[in-house]
Amino acid sequence: MNNNVFDELPLLLAVPHAAEILGISRAAAYRLAASGELPVRRLGGRVYVVTSELRQLVAS
């Protein structure tokens, strides 16, 4: 079985949680989200990183 950090995550991640997974600062993650380099969706005024797209980004 292939266990990795993405297996148990929800469909959407708060930006600070995504930053922790990526090993970058919260500010850097928000900059990447704003520039479009992190795959995000906005819901209810909040910004979330799409887990499946983040997985693909990390894998490439």
Side-chain angles (χ1 to χ4, degrees), residues 3 5 16 24 27 33 39 47 56-57:
N3 280 335
V5 70
I24 61 175
V47 179
Q56 292 173 355
L57 180 68

Side-chain angles (χ1 to χ4, degrees), residues 4 9 11 13-14 24 31 33-34 40 46 53-54 57 60:
N4 69 41
L9 295 175
L11 297 175
L13 298 170
I24 61 175
R31 281 194 304 273
V40 297
R46 294 183 179 227
E53 293 179 32
L54 182 61
L57 180 68
S60 59

Side-chain angles (χ1 to χ4, degrees), residues 2-4 8-9 18-19 21 25-29 36 38-39 41-44 47 51 54-55 58-59:
N2 182 15
N3 280 335
N4 69 41
E8 301 297 323
L9 295 175
I21 291 168
S25 72
R26 177 180 161 158
L38 274 181
R41 296 294 179 268
R42 299 186 190 297
L43 295 172
V47 179
T51 304
L54 182 61
R55 174 188 258 176
V58 170

